[in-house]
């Protein structure tokens, strides 16, 4: 189910997945996020490959639990298999493991759609990212990623077997698929008590390098050349939903194309983490990252097809602001 997290004037689309909570309504507050949930979420928020555009904390959702803590999405001219392969290669180089993948339709050479899952860690350190890339006749390929972590009430996290990327449909083009991961566990017999409790409020962790990170990105000469607008996320105060994006431009004009822009960015200290191509020639999609004070910045660029002169779609994000690391106080 897709939800929208709104903070200030910016809207971030995130993917929210819900596991059944055995029919129990979390009335006594134990299902609300605590310091354990925050710690698990922050490990995902700091991941440079995921570079989330929106973040939240795992917690109750109606009669179920939402374990979703981060997400991002974008549109590209690359075909679904090409962009999914680029994302998977970037993820595995950052320590994630491919645990499931399927390509549809079941005909080699057809663009169709791709669904994949990537896992990292075990037990309380586990995380699972769901990736979907689907062709839209109106806008190209729409790519959506959603990250989940175990909730503190979960008794465990099912282990998943790592796949050999070279033998999957992403590489071979054959109509193969793997079994999906077993998914998040469903806690039962929690014996939750009656009575209500207000949700916790989380406080900002103070200045944790956001202004420095934004200034570093805004001062980048290549981004200035591209005309990328950099804005600081609005102050959100005590909240569970965070907006991590700091700059976005639907299209920017270049004089020499994506490959040359990537070369200039690398000369300014950016590291190329992946590039996806359609056929031969220069890459049509690229992702780069660089340190930004106590944080990191991630830049995504993709060529705009059909333009009379080279044009790129560009988005830059910094890692998510921190929250108070202590368990919040609640009135009983």
């Amino acid at each position: 189910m897709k939800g929208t997290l709104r903070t200030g004037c910016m809207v971030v689309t995130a993917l929210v997945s819900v596991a059944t909570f055995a029919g129990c309504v979390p009335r006594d507050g134990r299902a609300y996020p605590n310091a354990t949930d925050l710690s698990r979420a922050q490990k995902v928020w700091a991941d440079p490959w995921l570079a989330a555009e929106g973040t939240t904390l795992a917690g109750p959702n109606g009669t179920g639990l939402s374990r979703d803590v981060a997400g991002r999405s974008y549109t590209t001219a690359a075909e679904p298999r090409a962009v999914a392969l680029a994302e998977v290669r970037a993820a595995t180089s950052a320590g994630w493991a491919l645990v499931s993948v399927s390509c549809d339709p079941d005909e080699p050479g057809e663009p169709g759609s791709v669904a994949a899952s990537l896992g990292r860690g075990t037990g309380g350190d586990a995380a699972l990212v769901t990736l979907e890339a689907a062709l839209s006749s109106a806008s190209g390929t729409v790519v959506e990623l959603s990250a989940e972590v175990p909730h503190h009430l979960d008794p465990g996290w099912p282990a998943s077997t790592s796949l050999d990327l070279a033998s999957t449909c992403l590489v071979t083009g054959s109509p193969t698929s793997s079994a999906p991961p077993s998914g998040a566990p469903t806690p039962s017999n929690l014996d939750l008590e009656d009575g209500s409790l207000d949700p916790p409020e989380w406080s900002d962790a103070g200045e944790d390098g956001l202004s420095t990170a934004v200034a570093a990105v805004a001062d980048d000469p290549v981004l200035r050349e591209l005309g990328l607008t950099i804005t600081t996320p609005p102050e959100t105060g005590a909240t569970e939903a965070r907006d991590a994006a700091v700059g976005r431009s639907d299209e920017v004009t270049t004089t020499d194309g994506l490959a040359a822009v990537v070369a200039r960015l690398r000369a300014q200290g950016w590291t190329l983490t992946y590039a996806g191509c359609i056929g031969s020639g220069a890459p049509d999609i690229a992702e780069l990252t660089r340190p930004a004070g106590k944080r990191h910045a991630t830049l995504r660029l993709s060529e705009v097809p059909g333009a009379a002169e080279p044009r790129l779609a560009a988005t830059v994000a910094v890692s998510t602001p921190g929250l108070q690391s202590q368990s919040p106080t609640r009135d009983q």
Side-chain angles (χ1 to χ4, degrees):
M1 179 175 67
K2 180 184 281 188
T4 300
L5 305 180
R6 183 181 297 270
T7 50
C9 61
M10 302 182 70
V11 178
V12 176
T13 300
L15 303 179
V16 181
S17 59
V18 177
T20 303
F21 198 67
C24 298
V25 178
R27 297 187 184 94
D28 70 350
R30 276 182 286 166
Y32 288 134
N34 62 17
T36 295
D37 297 302
L38 175 61
S39 175
R40 293 174 180 178
Q42 286 175 326
K43 293 175 183 178
V44 173
W45 296 347
D47 187 82
W49 163 66
L50 186 61
E53 294 173 357
T55 62
T56 187
L57 291 175
N61 187 335
T63 58
L65 284 179
S66 170
R67 297 173 178 83
D68 182 84
V69 294
R72 64 176 167 92
S73 64
Y74 61 95
T75 301
T76 175
E79 292 188 348
R81 291 195 195 202
V83 70
L85 178 59
E87 287 280 11
V88 169
R89 283 176 170 163
T92 54
S93 67
W96 296 81
L98 179 65
V99 297
S100 76
V101 64
S102 63
C103 305
D104 183 61
D106 291 338
E107 295 181 13
E110 295 293 330
S113 63
V114 173
S117 297
L118 300 111
R120 189 183 68 182
T122 59
D125 291 327
L128 184 71
V129 171
T130 300
L131 183 157
E132 296 180 352
L135 187 66
S136 169
S137 58
S139 56
T141 296
V142 178
V143 185
E144 296 182 323
L145 296 96
S146 174
E148 291 182 302
V149 296
H151 187 273
H152 72 268
L153 291 180
D154 289 330
W157 193 261
S160 299
T161 302
S162 177
L163 299 178
D164 176 18
L165 176 60
S167 64
T168 69
C169 59
L170 291 178
V171 175
T172 66
S174 61
T176 59
S177 63
S178 64
S182 54
T186 301
S188 59
N189 302 321
L190 295 178
D191 191 27
L192 297 175
E193 301 173 0
D194 289 333
S196 61
L197 193 64
D198 292 334
E201 290 190 348
W202 296 87
S203 300
D204 288 326
E207 172 54 42
D208 56 355
L210 176 60
S211 59
T212 301
V214 172
V217 174
D219 193 48
D220 187 281
V222 182
L223 299 192
R224 292 203 310 268
E225 169 196 325
L226 293 175
L228 191 65
T229 301
I230 307 298
T231 58
T232 304
E235 293 292 334
T236 55
T239 180
E240 294 178 38
R242 288 307 178 97
D243 190 336
V246 297
R248 180 185 298 274
S249 175
D250 290 336
E251 293 186 15
V252 294
T253 302
T254 70
T255 58
D256 44 12
L258 178 57
V261 170
V262 169
R264 293 200 297 276
L265 286 164
R266 294 177 71 180
Q268 291 295 330
W270 293 84
T271 299
L272 181 66
T273 54
Y274 78 76
C277 308
I278 299 177
S280 60
D284 61 54
I285 182 171
E287 179 177 284
L288 304 98
T289 186
R290 59 160 288 177
K294 298 179 181 179
R295 302 172 181 237
H296 63 263
T298 296
L299 173 67
R300 293 186 179 85
L301 301 168
S302 61
E303 291 179 343
V304 177
E309 56 185 341
R311 294 185 68 79
L312 303 176
T315 301
V316 63
V318 297
S319 49
T320 299
L323 295 177
Q324 182 183 0
S325 60
Q326 303 298 317
S327 297
T329 58
R330 306 171 185 152
D331 295 328
Q332 299 294 329

